[in-house]
Amino acid sequence: MATAESKHDPKGGVNTLSLQEELAACAPKADDDAWPKPVVAVAAEKKVAKSVQKPPPRENQPRPRVKRERKDPRTIERANLLNVSKLIVKELIDSSLAHGRMLDDDHVPLQQFFVVLEHVLRHGLKPRKGILRDRKEFWGVLEAVEKFAPEAGEITTSVRDMPHIKTPLGRARAWIRLALMQKTLADYFKIMIEKKDNLLSDYYENGALMMEDEGMVIAGLLVGLNVIDCNLCIKEEDLDQPMGVIDFSLYLKGGKYNGDNDDSESSEGKSKMATILDQKNYLEELNRHLNATVTNLQQKMEHLQTNNALMKEDLAIAKNSILTIQEENDILRRERDVVTEGLQKQMEATKQDIDVERETYQTNRAGLESMYTGVKQQLEGETEMRLDVERELELQIGMKTEMELAMRLLERDIHEKQDSIVTLRQQLDEIKSINQEMYHKLQSCEGSMKHKVDMVSKLEEKTTQLVTTLRDLEKSTALETDLRIEREWRSTLQHSLEEEKTHGSQLLMELQHMKDIKQEYDSLRHKHEQLGQTCEEQEKALSELGSHLSESKLKVEDMREANLVLKEAQWVGDNAATSCKQCSKDFSISRRKHHCRNCGDIFCNECSDNKMPLPSSSKPVRVCDSCQALLLQRYSAT
């Protein structure tokens, strides 16, 4: 049987204009109402019908050629894909109703439905750049559906976990087949069309089928597939193969699966089968709904039982807490009665104490006024003494600062002199080493000089002998040649003698230089002895200054202690303190205030239960714990 293959442009659409004419001619018109259309599909078809014009009917009579306006190829492609989608969906529903069985992988209209749906999803898809060429993959679109429909995540995860599928096209095909078996393909397609601004704008170009009204029509068509039961084996099918071609022989006149040549079955049988399938689907949906309600009710019952148990436990705990609170309330009431009785008794005792203290205060005040005059006179004398002591203390402080400055200057001089002594010692060591070297050289030079003087004396004797021999030889002409040789030898001897004389003069100069170095060494040694004497004198002076400084420090400390003893404590008022200075406990009727006679602060009885003699008082008086420790330390030091 002949098949009409569709030509594809680079963007994945159908480009032939003849395809639209053939489909419009062979599409069934009277049977369009034989299967139910959803409301969404009907509304979208009306919109598409306005934008897509039907081709005019052909007539036998020739007509004059009229210039037609060229249509947009994308609108033609969308119209062709929409018509093919209508035909394939109608064919699937009719075949399933006619045969009354579950569709599997071998069903030809089902295979062609998947091919048409791939063409629909690839129409107007933006290409993604690859290594060798640009790729058009709609797997990303299907993968993004789970953002808006979380239940689609189960399909995507199961597709990703399939090891035999390696390409994005294979994953997309498996996703479509699983959604069709779960009867959720129409719902996901509707979500994609409704959320196209957020979901599809990144993947499709303007004018794509999914971005226009035709996409809503196809979503309505897919709703009718929910009445079909499919059983597809995805693991055994090769889903990574290239994209298939639409077989138009199914929809042409005289096709194998055309409605005009279907098996001749009665319309009553078809209607019965349709009613049976509808009843079956209704019962399945009802059973599913009832199962869902039962599970929800069971969950609610479990939740209510747990809440009831928790409420019972909370009630028992609340009852126990109420009983304990009542017992505590009774105990607190008893304690309150006891405390009120004790407070009343304390108030009566305090009133009696206040009356006694008032009488003692009046008697003490008269005695204190007489004592105040005497203490005032004593205070004036002590203030004069204190001023004198402060002046002496200032003088001592000035002397101490001067002594400290002198000590610092002496320390600097000592450090400088110590550095100079170290450098002089290093120079003396170097001079000693140089002196030893020169001494050894002088001894060696003296030995060589003696040897050379002996050689010179021997050479002079030889020269005298030679002179005598020369005189004898002059007489004889036969010895002239020997005389020449002797002269040459004499000249060489004279030359060596001159060299020895120059070397001797150099040694004499070195000897004179060594004598000068020796004189410098003697002068440096003399200076070193003088510096040693001055260092010893300065060390003695420093030791004397240290003893003087220690004595002055002791005097200053004694004067400070005397000043502290003479300084009177500032008497803090009773209203200025509300708590003990040491333990920070608040004063009350039972915890009374007491002044420390040394520092003048206010303490409780526990923190000031000590008595120590002070310079200003002849008898031991009350002092706090810190003042007691300070006074004991001072007395032990003195």
Side-chain angles (χ1 to χ4, degrees):
M1 190 173 288
T3 58
E5 295 183 357
S6 62
K7 296 180 182 179
H8 303 284
D9 66 349
K11 296 181 180 178
V14 182
N15 287 331
T16 56
L17 294 170
S18 61
L19 176 62
Q20 183 184 6
E21 296 174 358
E22 284 186 10
L23 291 172
C26 68
K29 297 178 182 177
D31 296 336
D32 285 344
D33 298 330
W35 55 285
K37 288 185 180 180
V39 179
V40 180
V42 173
E45 279 183 0
K46 289 179 180 179
K47 291 182 182 179
V48 174
K50 293 179 182 179
S51 61
V52 180
Q53 295 179 357
K54 293 183 179 179
R58 296 180 181 179
E59 296 180 358
N60 294 327
Q61 295 180 359
R63 290 183 179 182
R65 294 183 179 179
V66 181
K67 290 184 179 180
R68 297 180 180 178
E69 295 181 358
R70 293 187 66 185
K71 296 181 180 179
D72 186 9
R74 291 203 175 187
T75 58
I76 298 169
E77 292 169 8
R78 291 198 300 271
N80 291 338
L81 287 172
L82 181 62
N83 291 327
V84 172
S85 301
K86 288 179 184 178
L87 290 171
I88 193 66
V89 171
K90 182 178 182 299
E91 185 67 28
L92 271 175
I93 295 170
D94 291 341
S95 61
S96 65
L97 293 173
H99 296 289
R101 61 185 177 84
M102 186 177 289
L103 303 180
D104 54 3
D105 297 330
D106 298 331
H107 196 63
V108 177
L110 186 62
Q111 295 176 358
Q112 288 298 311
F113 168 72
F114 290 133
V115 174
V116 171
L117 190 60
E118 288 177 14
H119 281 281
V120 168
L121 290 170
R122 284 175 63 89
H123 184 264
L125 194 66
K126 291 181 181 179
R128 291 189 176 183
K129 291 185 178 180
I131 299 172
L132 300 175
R133 59 189 178 83
D134 294 344
R135 296 178 296 174
K136 292 184 178 181
E137 299 172 354
F138 55 89
W139 165 241
V141 182
L142 302 178
E143 196 174 11
V145 173
E146 63 181 357
K147 295 180 181 178
F148 302 96
E151 60 271 11
E154 298 178 359
I155 300 174
T156 53
T157 52
S158 60
V159 167
R160 287 189 196 123
D161 296 336
M162 291 180 181
H164 66 283
I165 300 174
K166 298 178 181 178
T167 61
L169 181 61
R171 294 191 187 96
R173 288 172 176 171
W175 193 93
I176 292 168
R177 283 160 174 75
L178 288 172
L180 183 63
M181 285 192 287
Q182 294 180 5
K183 297 183 180 181
T184 55
L185 182 62
D187 298 333
Y188 296 150
F189 212 86
K190 185 179 178 183
I191 289 168
M192 285 192 284
I193 298 300
E194 289 176 352
K195 306 290 183 181
K196 61 184 177 182
D197 294 333
N198 298 326
L199 182 61
L200 303 179
S201 59
D202 296 335
Y203 296 96
Y204 289 97
E205 298 176 351
N206 294 326
L209 191 144
M210 296 293 289
M211 301 295 288
E212 300 296 332
D213 295 333
E214 288 86 348
M216 184 61 73
V217 176
I218 291 172
L221 292 173
L222 293 176
V223 175
L225 298 178
N226 291 335
V227 300
I228 297 173
D229 294 330
C230 299
N231 186 12
L232 305 174
C233 185
I234 298 171
K235 293 184 179 179
E236 296 179 359
E237 191 175 357
D238 186 12
L239 300 177
D240 294 330
Q241 62 185 353
M243 195 167 180
V245 180
I246 301 172
D247 188 5
F248 295 103
S249 63
L250 301 174
Y251 322 113
L252 298 174
K253 292 180 179 179
K256 183 177 180 181
Y257 288 91
N258 197 358
D260 297 334
N261 294 326
D262 285 340
D263 295 333
S264 59
E265 294 182 358
S266 63
S267 61
E268 293 178 357
K270 289 182 180 180
S271 62
K272 287 180 181 179
M273 186 62 68
T275 54
I276 290 165
L277 288 172
D278 292 336
Q279 289 175 359
K280 176 191 172 185
N281 292 324
Y282 174 73
L283 290 172
E284 286 178 354
E285 291 291 331
L286 185 62
N287 190 12
R288 193 180 301 164
H289 180 69
L290 289 171
N291 288 327
T293 53
V294 167
T295 53
N296 289 328
L297 289 171
Q298 287 177 354
Q299 290 176 358
K300 288 180 180 178
M301 280 291 292
E302 291 175 356
H303 184 65
L304 289 170
Q305 286 175 358
T306 53
N307 285 333
N308 191 9
L310 291 172
M311 290 291 286
K312 286 180 180 179
E313 291 177 359
D314 293 336
L315 183 61
I317 292 164
K319 286 180 179 178
N320 293 327
S321 62
I322 287 165
L323 292 172
T324 53
I325 288 165
Q326 286 178 355
E327 292 175 357
E328 289 177 357
N329 192 6
D330 295 334
I331 292 165
L332 288 171
R333 283 178 180 174
R334 294 169 188 168
E335 290 179 355
R336 186 189 64 184
D337 296 334
V338 173
V339 169
T340 50
E341 290 176 359
L343 287 172
Q344 287 177 0
K345 291 178 181 179
Q346 287 181 2
M347 286 292 289
E348 292 175 356
T350 50
K351 284 180 181 178
Q352 293 175 1
D353 292 336
I354 288 166
D355 294 333
V356 172
E357 285 182 356
R358 188 179 293 167
E359 292 175 359
T360 54
Y361 175 72
Q362 289 175 358
T363 55
N364 288 329
R365 185 174 180 181
L368 286 171
E369 286 177 355
S370 61
M371 287 175 66
Y372 177 72
T373 55
V375 170
K376 190 174 181 181
Q377 293 175 0
Q378 188 178 358
L379 181 62
E380 290 176 356
E382 287 180 355
T383 49
E384 291 177 358
M385 291 283 290
R386 182 181 175 185
L387 292 171
D388 296 334
V389 170
E390 285 179 354
R391 289 169 189 167
E392 291 179 359
L393 182 62
E394 289 176 356
L395 292 171
Q396 290 290 333
I397 290 166
M399 290 175 68
K400 183 183 176 182
T401 54
E402 290 176 359
M403 293 293 287
E404 287 178 354
L405 290 171
M407 285 291 291
R408 288 175 186 171
L409 293 171
L410 286 170
E411 285 177 357
R412 286 182 185 174
D413 294 335
I414 288 164
H415 287 304
E416 290 175 357
K417 287 176 182 179
Q418 284 177 354
D419 295 335
S420 62
I421 287 164
V422 170
T423 53
L424 287 171
R425 282 178 182 171
Q426 291 176 357
Q427 289 177 2
L428 284 171
D429 294 333
E430 291 175 357
I431 289 164
K432 282 180 182 179
S433 61
I434 292 166
N435 195 1
Q436 288 177 358
E437 290 176 0
M438 294 300 291
Y439 180 72
H440 290 304
K441 286 181 181 179
L442 183 61
Q443 287 180 352
S444 61
C445 288
E446 286 178 355
S448 62
M449 281 291 291
K450 287 178 181 178
H451 180 67
K452 288 176 181 178
V453 168
D454 295 334
M455 288 291 290
V456 168
S457 61
K458 289 178 181 179
L459 287 171
E460 285 178 353
E461 289 177 356
K462 286 181 181 180
T463 51
T464 53
Q465 289 176 3
L466 287 170
V467 168
T468 54
T469 53
L470 282 170
R471 287 176 182 174
D472 295 334
L473 288 171
E474 283 177 357
K475 296 176 180 179
S476 60
T477 57
L479 296 173
E480 286 180 357
T481 55
D482 293 333
L483 184 60
R484 288 176 185 173
I485 292 165
E486 289 292 334
R487 283 178 181 173
E488 290 175 359
W489 184 53
R490 183 180 177 184
S491 62
T492 53
L493 287 173
Q494 286 178 355
H495 183 66
S496 62
L497 182 62
E498 288 175 357
E499 288 179 355
E500 290 293 333
K501 284 180 180 179
T502 54
H503 186 64
S505 62
Q506 289 178 359
L507 289 172
L508 289 171
M509 290 174 67
E510 288 179 358
L511 183 62
Q512 186 67 30
H513 183 63
M514 290 298 293
K515 287 178 180 179
D516 295 335
I517 290 169
K518 189 175 181 182
Q519 290 177 359
E520 290 178 359
Y521 173 70
D522 293 333
S523 63
L524 288 170
R525 183 182 289 172
H526 183 65
K527 288 180 181 178
H528 177 65
E529 290 174 356
Q530 289 178 354
L531 288 170
Q533 290 176 0
T534 53
C535 284
E536 289 176 358
E537 292 174 357
Q538 287 175 357
E539 286 177 356
K540 289 178 182 179
L542 285 172
S543 62
E544 291 176 358
L545 284 170
S547 63
H548 287 303
L549 282 172
S550 61
E551 290 175 359
S552 62
K553 283 181 181 178
L554 290 171
K555 288 180 181 179
V556 169
E557 289 176 358
D558 293 336
M559 293 177 74
R560 281 180 182 172
E561 289 178 357
N563 190 13
L564 289 171
V565 170
L566 292 171
K567 189 185 290 184
E568 286 189 3
Q570 187 177 359
W571 198 262
V572 179
D574 292 335
N575 297 326
T578 58
S579 61
C580 180
K581 188 177 181 182
Q582 188 169 349
C583 63
S584 300
K585 292 181 180 178
D586 294 332
F587 293 117
S588 63
I589 297 167
S590 59
R591 186 178 286 105
R592 300 181 65 185
K593 300 177 182 179
H594 297 281
H595 282 85
C596 176
R597 300 305 189 270
N598 187 33
C599 61
D601 289 324
I602 296 174
F603 298 89
C604 63
N605 187 27
E606 294 175 357
C607 298
S608 62
D609 191 13
N610 305 306
K611 288 189 177 181
M612 291 287 293
L614 295 176
S616 59
S617 64
S618 59
K619 295 180 181 181
V621 291
R622 183 187 289 272
V623 292
C624 61
D625 294 340
S626 57
C627 290
Q628 184 195 14
L630 193 142
L631 290 169
L632 287 171
Q633 186 179 1
R634 188 182 297 168
Y635 292 154
S636 62
T638 54

